[in-house]
Amino acid sequence: MRRRLLSSMLLVAVIAVLLLGVPLGVVVVRLFNDEVAQELRTDANRLLLGVEYSLSQGQGISPDQLARNYPDRYLQVFVRGKPPIVVGSPPLVGRDLTEEARSENGYVRVSRDAAQIQQDTQARLVLIIALAVVALGAAIGLATVTSRRLSLPLQDLTRIAERLGSGDARPSRHRYGIPELDLVAEVLDRSALRISDLLAREREFATDASHQLRTPLTGLSMRLEEIVAAADQPEVVREEGEAAVVQVERLTAVIDELLAAARRQRHAQAAPIDVDDVVGQQIVEWEPAFRRARRSLVLAGDRGLSALGTTGGLSQVLSTLLENSLKHGDGVLTINTSSTGRSVVIEVADEGPGIPEALGHRVFERSVSGGGGTGLGLTLARALVAADGGRLELVKRRPATFAIFLRHTRDSGRHHRVVSGPA
């Protein structure tokens, strides 16, 4: 590309020099010849005036004086009644340029050698050629600088594009002072930001998926442990086996939820769900783990409530809250369901030490944990509730009390904007 730019610019420069230089040379030759002819006419008229003045004063005409006054000229003076006066060396016939002036008393001729005129003309043409060479040299320098200025940014943009293709999505922030190339660089930077955002979302999805799948797998592991411990009790094995099947089904539902969330389709899937069924299923699932920890689960509040959401999403949120209470809480865990004029509320509270004041306002932030965990559980739980059109809030720090606010089923046809704050 750089070679093509140089060739094109040099070709343009050569054409421009030829188009300007050739006519300029012709014009200079003509002007110089006209100038020489005009100069000879002036000399002839001046010589004639000098001769007439000398005659009028009765003075003679000195050839030596004429030679001093008109160097490099061939002079011929013709006066009536007197012999001709010739000064200088005569030029070759056909190679001279002659002008004459006449009066009543005679006439004069002034000649100049055409070879000398040609030498002067060639000197001027050489000057024009030298200027053309200088112009071509300047054009070569300018073409080199311009081609370098254009080719280097394009090479840099090529490297940036290759880097983007290899997965390095860092914006370069390079600008080159050329509007068109700066626009390309800006587009590549925006593409890099979009690619970086997509890669970050993919990483977050992988992290979220691993965290979300861990809870159902933990429940499934507990059921299998119960089956192994009750191997000699068929009824218990059957009951725990059925619970394990439910866990597998829930695991499948969680995978579906994750895939739907990745496609941003969760909100459109929100439908009326039976709150008692979801809460009851979670109590049955987690009761053995709480029993081994010498703790109990209590269900309180209103029954027969219905809300807009997804069974898998609400189950996952309740599982996260129950698991956090099992790890970090203490005492009796109470799940209280109620209905207000705006929301269906599910409160989860225990009798533990609660959440430190320093973490109270950051408990839902990603990677923030007060007990050495991943810091993803509450973040994902809040995102799941928000995807169903509700919200998850920490309503009390000591003891820790979380509240899930879901929409009433009568709001299914209304435009809903998710906000944070009290119900």
Side-chain angles (χ1 to χ4, degrees):
M1 174 184 175
R2 189 173 179 181
R3 187 178 296 109
R4 289 197 300 271
L5 284 173
L6 277 173
S7 302
S8 300
M9 297 183 73
L10 289 178
L11 179 62
V12 171
V14 169
I15 293 174
V17 168
L18 291 177
L19 290 177
L20 293 176
V22 172
L24 179 61
V26 173
V27 170
V28 167
V29 171
R30 286 188 175 182
L31 288 177
F32 181 69
N33 290 332
D34 292 343
E35 182 182 354
V36 171
Q38 180 64 34
E39 185 178 355
L40 290 177
R41 282 194 294 271
T42 302
D43 290 344
N45 291 328
R46 185 158 57 90
L47 176 59
L48 180 62
L49 289 175
V51 168
E52 289 184 345
Y53 179 78
S54 297
L55 293 175
S56 65
Q57 296 296 323
Q59 300 175 356
I61 301 173
S62 174
D64 295 335
Q65 183 68 32
L66 293 179
R68 287 194 297 269
N69 292 337
Y70 299 93
D72 300 329
R73 300 288 191 272
Y74 176 64
L75 306 178
Q76 295 173 294
V77 178
F78 299 94
V79 179
R80 291 179 181 177
K82 293 184 178 183
I85 300 174
V86 178
V87 178
S89 301
L92 297 177
V93 178
R95 296 187 59 184
D96 63 340
L97 187 63
T98 302
E99 293 291 338
E100 65 179 34
R102 295 179 178 272
S103 67
E104 296 178 355
N105 297 321
Y107 65 94
V108 298
R109 287 179 182 172
V110 180
S111 302
R112 186 176 178 183
D113 192 352
Q116 185 179 5
I117 298 173
Q118 187 176 5
Q119 289 178 356
D120 293 342
T121 304
Q122 290 175 351
R124 284 166 172 77
L125 291 177
V126 169
L127 178 61
I128 293 174
I129 293 174
L131 292 176
V133 172
V134 171
L136 283 177
I140 292 173
L142 181 61
T144 303
V145 173
T146 304
S147 63
R148 180 180 178 85
R149 187 186 178 195
L150 291 175
S151 62
L152 290 182
L154 290 175
Q155 293 173 5
D156 190 36
L157 291 174
T158 301
R159 288 193 294 269
I160 293 172
E162 289 178 353
R163 196 176 71 229
L164 287 178
S166 64
D168 186 357
R170 293 172 300 170
S172 66
R173 311 291 184 189
H174 291 178
R175 296 297 181 267
Y176 310 100
I178 303 174
E180 294 78 6
L181 295 180
D182 288 346
L183 179 60
V184 174
E186 184 178 351
V187 171
L188 286 176
D189 284 348
R190 289 201 299 266
S191 299
L193 292 175
R194 287 195 295 268
I195 292 174
S196 178
D197 183 58
L198 290 175
L199 292 176
R201 288 183 183 178
E202 291 294 332
R203 286 192 291 267
E204 288 182 4
F205 175 75
T207 304
D208 296 350
S210 62
H211 185 279
Q212 294 292 77
L213 294 176
R214 183 175 57 82
T215 301
L217 289 174
T218 300
L220 181 59
S221 176
M222 290 188 301
R223 293 302 177 187
L224 293 177
E225 289 174 359
E226 293 287 338
I227 292 175
V228 173
D232 55 348
Q233 303 178 34
E235 293 298 328
V236 176
V237 170
R238 174 175 295 179
E239 180 181 351
E240 295 299 330
E242 291 175 351
V245 171
V246 172
Q247 288 293 334
V248 172
E249 292 175 351
R250 182 174 164 229
L251 183 61
T252 303
V254 168
I255 294 174
D256 293 338
E257 291 287 338
L258 287 171
L259 293 175
R263 299 185 182 96
R264 301 293 188 268
Q265 296 174 349
R266 290 273 335 277
H267 188 76
Q269 294 178 346
I273 58 173
D274 192 318
V275 175
D276 292 344
D277 287 347
V278 178
V279 174
Q281 184 266 335
Q282 289 300 310
I283 290 177
V284 171
E285 181 177 327
W286 286 92
E287 193 275 332
F290 275 82
R291 186 173 64 248
R292 285 195 295 271
R294 301 180 183 278
R295 296 176 60 186
S296 60
L297 287 169
V298 175
L299 177 62
D302 302 332
R303 303 274 73 80
L305 297 178
S306 178
L308 287 176
T310 56
T311 301
L314 182 57
S315 298
Q316 189 68 21
V317 174
L318 288 173
S319 287
T320 299
L321 296 177
L322 293 175
E323 185 179 12
N324 281 352
S325 177
L326 186 62
K327 287 183 178 181
H328 310 299
D330 199 2
V332 177
L333 185 140
T334 303
I335 301 177
N336 185 78
T337 57
S338 61
S339 176
T340 67
R342 297 176 57 187
S343 305
V344 174
V345 185
I346 305 173
E347 291 187 356
V348 179
D350 60 21
E351 299 173 344
I355 298 175
E357 184 175 357
L359 296 179
H361 63 287
R362 302 179 58 217
V363 71
F364 292 106
E365 294 181 12
R366 181 177 287 269
S367 302
V368 174
S369 174
T374 61
L376 294 175
L378 291 176
T379 301
L380 299 179
R382 186 174 232 189
L384 288 171
V385 176
D388 287 338
R391 68 183 192 278
L392 173 63
E393 302 288 347
L394 174 65
V395 296
K396 189 176 181 182
R397 286 193 305 104
R398 298 181 185 276
T401 303
F402 291 89
I404 303 170
F405 299 92
L406 299 175
R407 292 179 292 159
H408 285 289
T409 55
R410 64 174 179 267
D411 297 332
S412 59
R414 301 179 185 175
H415 175 71
H416 182 73
R417 181 169 62 91
V418 179
V419 296
S420 60

